Structure formats: structure tokens, C-alpha cells
Amino acid sequence: MPAALSAVGGLARAADYDRYLTAVFAPAGSREALFALIAFNHEVARIPEAVSEPMLGRIRLQWWREVVEAAYAGEPTRRHEVAVPLADAILACGLDRAPFDALLDAREGDLDDGGPPDLAALERYAAATGGALAALMLQASGVDSGPALEAGRQVGTAWALIGTLRAAPRAAVQGRVTLPSDLLAEAGIGAGDLLAGRGFDRLAGVGEPVGRRAAELLDAARKARGAVPRRGRGVLLIARLADLYRARLRRAGWDPRDPSVDVGLLRKQTAMLAGALTGRY
């Protein structure tokens, strides 16, 4: 771990500590680019909760679209604590454009009313957000083979699925329902129930299939571990945290409000260190 963090490194640590840890276990030469990607993801992910109406959110997302467009066009970067290191990462690492577009499009969907209609729709969203980010982080680590990037997308998608379960109460406080409406209906939970703070103790019928799909994606990614060079496995250590959170959610009856769902800092670090030493994400 570096003795002193850069400004964007500090932002990444404060905004998304779990992904920050994966960057720490990545090659030292990749960390600044990884920090920039983590900070960028946080900037766009928090837009729905930071604006009072959807149009304001779309304006902010358009600003980031223009930042990305300028980087790929080789135009001057807007002076911003995240935009500048992001543009540097895009150019230095030769990052693909498509994952950025997919991520920004998906985040614009966060501004619309209503959640995903079914698990397939939630998985598509998770792939466009967490999956796209993981692929970019692999590229920033110097990994660019198709099978390796697919493993990264699977890990990132699984992490986003588990994250959706964990964040459901917070989303409801913000007036958003992010869980599949068909699974909620089967569990006898209405969108209005969640928005009123009810029904979280009956989420087993939702959490079980979402958690099962996350586990399937993690298993598939692990079967492809041989295709992922050692230098890229650090950013995929988030898979180990996905396992921890999924197990705790299951023991809590898939109620994300249960305090036992939280994973302590030392436990996270130990899990990631074990993965880093063995090369097993």
C-alpha cells in the first residue's frame, strides 16, 4: 500500500472502500487509474440521490458523457478532481469506450420511476454497471483478453446484484424500488410497502433467486481463472466479499437491515489477503 494516497485515491477510499481494497491488491502501476475509475463510478452512481428531479440528474450525466467524449477525442479535460485523472486513465490504459457508454446509460435509467420488472432485467442493469466497471478495471490492470474480461464482467455483475440487495432499504428511503417487481409480487410485497419501510423481513423470495444468480456468475468466473493473468486478479478479489455478504444475507433471512449482514474491515482485509496470496478470487 502506498505511504500517501493521491487526491483521487483518497476519494476512492472514502467513496467505495470495498473496491478501493481491490485496487490496493492490484499492481502498483495500475492503482491511480483504478482509483480514477472507482471515483468516477461513485460520482455517477450517486446522482439519483443528489438531485431533486430527473432532469437535473440527466444534466449531470450529460456532463460526464462530455468528459468521456473529450478524453477519447483528445480534447482538453474539464478541470475536476475526478475528470482529470479519469481522462488520464482512459488515454494511458487505452480503455474501451463501450463500457463507459453502457454504464452511463444504465445510470440514466436510475432516474426513471419503477424498478426492474424481473431478474433478467436486474441482471442486465448489474452487467451494465458493476460488470462494465470490472471490465474497465481489468483493462486498467493491463488485462485485455476476451475470456478474462468476461470473467471480470461476471464478477462485477454478481457484486452489483448482491449490492442491490444490500442497498434496497437505502434506495427505498430515496423513493426508489430497485428489486425485481415480479419477485416482490410473488413474495407479497408491493412497491409501496418498501417505500414505507415495510416488507424487508419477507425478502427471502427475492433475495434467494438474486443471490443464487450471483453465485452462478461467481462460479463461472472462477472456472475461467486460468484465463485471468495474475496482474488482473487483484481487482476480482471483490468476488470474495460478494461471498461474505451473500452468506450473511442468507443467514439473516435476506433481510438487508439485519446488523449481522455487515462485514467488518478486518474480515474483508483477511479475505482479500488470502485471495491475493493464493491467486484465487
Side-chain angles (χ1 to χ4, degrees):
M1 183 181 298
L5 278 177
S6 64
V8 75
L11 290 171
R13 182 175 63 182
D16 188 343
Y17 191 77
D18 291 343
R19 284 194 178 96
Y20 164 80
L21 279 178
T22 70
V24 170
F25 284 106
S30 304
R31 288 178 192 149
E32 287 305 301
L34 294 173
F35 292 154
L37 288 168
I38 293 167
F40 160 74
N41 181 65
H42 172 70
E43 287 289 323
V44 298
R46 71 186 184 93
I47 286 174
E49 62 186 86
V51 298
S52 57
E53 58 183 81
M55 182 55 66
L56 296 176
R58 292 187 176 91
I59 290 171
R60 291 196 183 193
L61 283 168
Q62 181 59 31
W63 191 91
W64 282 107
R65 290 183 196 278
E66 292 171 2
V67 166
V68 171
E69 177 66 35
Y72 282 98
E75 297 174 356
T77 304
R78 293 176 177 178
R79 307 309 298 176
H80 182 275
E81 58 188 356
V82 176
V84 172
L86 177 67
D88 290 343
I90 288 172
L91 295 176
C93 303
L95 301 180
D96 288 343
R97 171 73 183 270
F100 284 107
D101 293 336
L103 195 155
L104 288 165
D105 287 346
R107 291 304 182 186
E108 186 165 357
D110 289 344
L111 299 168
D112 298 330
D113 292 334
D118 51 34
L119 179 54
L122 176 60
E123 184 174 340
R124 288 193 295 272
Y125 170 82
T129 53
L133 179 62
L136 287 168
M137 291 178 71
L138 272 177
Q139 282 194 312
S141 300
V143 177
D144 205 20
S145 75
L149 293 179
E150 179 58 23
R153 282 188 285 268
Q154 290 167 333
V155 168
T157 301
W159 177 249
L161 289 174
I162 296 298
T164 299
L165 291 172
R166 292 170 52 215
R170 178 178 175 180
V173 169
Q174 298 165 3
R176 297 187 297 126
V177 176
T178 54
L179 298 173
S181 56
D182 64 337
L183 295 180
L184 287 172
E186 290 175 12
I189 305 170
D193 292 328
L194 294 185
L195 296 179
R198 301 187 301 268
F200 290 101
D201 57 341
R202 293 182 280 127
L203 278 182
V206 180
E208 188 64 41
V210 174
R212 183 168 57 248
R213 182 55 185 151
E216 291 170 353
L217 288 164
L218 292 173
D219 286 344
R222 286 169 174 141
K223 288 178 182 177
R225 187 174 64 246
V228 182
R230 192 88 179 191
R231 63 182 178 274
R233 295 182 188 177
V235 300
L236 300 190
L237 291 174
I238 202 79
R240 288 190 161 240
L241 299 192
D243 287 337
L244 289 175
Y245 281 118
R246 182 170 57 86
R248 295 194 178 199
L249 279 164
R250 187 174 61 247
R251 286 198 297 268
W254 300 99
D255 185 347
R257 304 168 306 171
D258 192 312
S260 69
V261 171
D262 292 336
V263 178
L265 175 59
L266 181 59
R267 184 69 184 91
K268 293 178 183 180
Q269 293 174 334
T270 301
M272 285 198 172
L273 179 59
L277 291 174
T278 62
R280 295 178 176 273
Y281 52 80

